[in-house]
Amino acid sequence: MKTITRLRRLRAHETMRHMAREHELVCANLVYPLFVHPGIEPRIPVSTMPGVSQLSLEAFEQDLEELVALGVPSILLFGLANNKDNQGSEAFAEFGIVQQAIRIAKKRFPSLYLMSDVCLCAYTSHGHCGVVIDGKVHNDASVELLTRVALSHAEAGVDLVAPSDMMDGRVHAIRGALDKAGYQDLPIMSYAAKFASAFYGPFREAASCAPQFGDRRSYQMDPANTSEAHREILADKDEGADIIVIKPALAYADLIYQARQLTKMPIAAYHVSGEYAMLKAAAKAGYLDEKQAVLESLLCSKRAGASLLITYHALDVARWLQEA
Ligand code: PBG
């Protein structure tokens, strides 16, 4: 039989390959996570994440200059605590480190889109994402505090809040509190399907938030579950989330795709610390080409259905896209 379908015809010419391309990675997709710490040491390198540091407010301001110049449109802010306690009180302090960083960034770089992580784990003495009562992470007491965190970020001028704690009902509570305080237009990007993943390992050094007892499996999802992820996504949608996050990204691309079919909501793929560390380590060892592997990874999340890409590679990606 004669071959009639020849898919290679459209692959022969570079121009045609570009014209026929279905998905494209652009700078506008990028969200760069940043860690600010309350001390004066400008940059404290995170050993598990080469190229990532905990920043003082001053160093933070310098880095913003660089990333704005490169065209990175958005950052996701994480903070480190001075004094940790059971409630993670610094997380919702008026002049907590993230609240200060938001004020600085808003003033200096009004065009930069500011997202903030809403969680307690970097601020609690036990390292859990909520309040511990009788040895357990208490859902409703945690939600109350998370709502205060979100409000304090709103008051500082953040553009979007991103609750990552995985307590039930927190999107509803945060939406209600924001609306009541006059922040009806402030969007919520909820970590809808966040799995209890080994790939967060390096982040726990970056944010100094490793649980001091037990693990996060009583609130983060079991990596084995699909239907439960759908329920999480639909629950957050019903509660008023504007964007949903799937996390981690690469090993969970099936869920990015399914979330897209399920809700039609914008999706953010979080390329987490472990994914970053793996690529960095392999590139350093000479096992693969960093630029090609990073660009391919992010593009594949887009193909799966994500439009926002949260990645520690954002600065490099912005540089590479400019070169292209
Ligand atoms: C904390 C939080 C974590 C990450 C983002 N927010 C860690 C965790 O849940 O243990 C992980 C990010 C990464 O690994 O890059 N709520």
Side-chain angles (χ1 to χ4, degrees):
M1 197 183 84
K2 233 180 129 217
T3 303
I4 293 170
T5 304
R6 290 182 185 273
L7 291 163
R8 291 185 54 194
R9 275 184 210 117
L10 298 183
R11 293 181 201 144
H13 196 291
E14 189 177 359
T15 302
M16 178 46 75
R17 283 200 298 274
H18 285 183
M19 285 193 283
R21 183 167 292 159
E22 297 174 53
H23 299 279
E24 196 180 357
L25 180 61
V26 292
C27 228
N29 302 130
L30 301 173
V31 181
Y32 186 49
L34 277 170
F35 303 93
V36 281
H37 75 80
I40 51 163
E41 181 70 33
R43 286 163 213 279
I44 305 172
V46 178
S47 66
T48 50
M49 300 171 72
V52 174
S53 296
Q54 300 171 349
L55 305 170
S56 69
L57 284 176
E58 212 168 304
F60 167 69
E61 220 176 314
Q62 288 166 5
D63 281 16
L64 291 190
E65 204 151 329
E66 188 190 353
L67 71 92
V68 168
L70 279 169
V72 175
S74 175
I75 61 169
L76 175 59
L77 270 166
F78 292 91
L80 286 118
N82 230 340
N83 293 304
K84 303 189 182 205
D85 59 24
N86 180 40
Q87 299 216 317
S89 314
E90 272 184 32
F92 45 89
E94 188 183 352
F95 290 96
I97 190 66
V98 165
Q99 291 80 355
Q100 291 186 59
I102 292 168
R103 288 192 181 90
I104 290 173
K106 205 68 248 164
K107 201 162 148 212
R108 284 281 321 271
F109 303 98
S111 68
L112 184 65
Y113 196 85
L114 299 180
M115 307 184 177
S116 62
D117 181 70
V118 172
C119 195
L120 298 174
C121 64
Y123 305 89
T124 51
S125 41
H126 42 72
H128 279 290
C129 302
V131 185
V132 173
I133 301 175
D134 294 334
K136 288 197 178 128
V137 177
H138 191 287
N139 193 83
D140 297 10
S142 305
V143 168
E144 222 177 289
L145 295 183
L146 290 160
T147 302
R148 290 173 68 177
V149 178
L151 261 182
S152 73
H153 293 178
E155 280 158 10
V158 85
D159 293 307
L160 170 153
V161 288
S164 68
D165 52 282
M166 289 300 280
M167 298 303 130
D168 290 316
R170 92 279 205 214
V171 175
H172 174 76
I174 291 172
R175 184 72 273 156
L178 289 175
D179 288 359
K180 202 167 146 218
Y183 299 106
Q184 295 90 341
D185 294 331
L186 191 81
I188 299 176
M189 178 170 83
S190 79
Y191 291 68
K194 177 176 177 180
F195 292 85
S197 169
F199 291 98
Y200 307 152
F203 176 94
R204 294 189 183 161
E205 182 192 324
S208 164
C209 70
Q212 299 303 302
F213 68 89
D215 52 44
R216 302 210 202 288
R217 281 181 292 185
S218 78
Y219 41 103
Q220 297 181 351
M221 282 190 53
D222 183 338
N225 293 354
T226 303
S227 301
E228 188 191 3
H230 292 187
R231 293 183 70 194
E232 282 283 4
I233 291 162
L234 292 174
D236 283 10
K237 179 178 182 236
D238 288 347
E239 288 181 31
D242 300 282
I243 300 173
I244 49 170
V245 180
I246 306 294
K247 179 180 177 183
L250 279 188
Y252 296 79
D254 55 332
L255 285 160
I256 297 175
Y257 178 74
Q258 289 167 25
R260 192 96 200 84
Q261 312 304 312
L262 190 67
T263 69
K264 311 292 178 198
M265 292 171 81
I267 295 167
Y270 200 139
H271 285 251
V272 300
S273 56
E275 301 178 52
Y276 175 84
M278 285 196 301
L279 287 176
K280 280 288 185 190
K284 190 169 175 220
Y287 296 160
L288 48 71
D289 181 288
E290 181 174 358
K291 174 178 166 182
Q292 298 307 329
V294 168
L295 294 176
E296 180 181 328
S297 301
L298 294 169
L299 176 65
C300 288
S301 280
K302 273 202 87 171
R303 192 200 59 230
S307 37
L308 291 84
L309 305 169
I310 307 169
T311 172
Y312 305 97
H313 298 285
L315 287 186
D316 288 334
V317 172
R319 258 181 228 115
W320 292 328
L321 291 177
Q322 272 183 4
E323 287 163 14

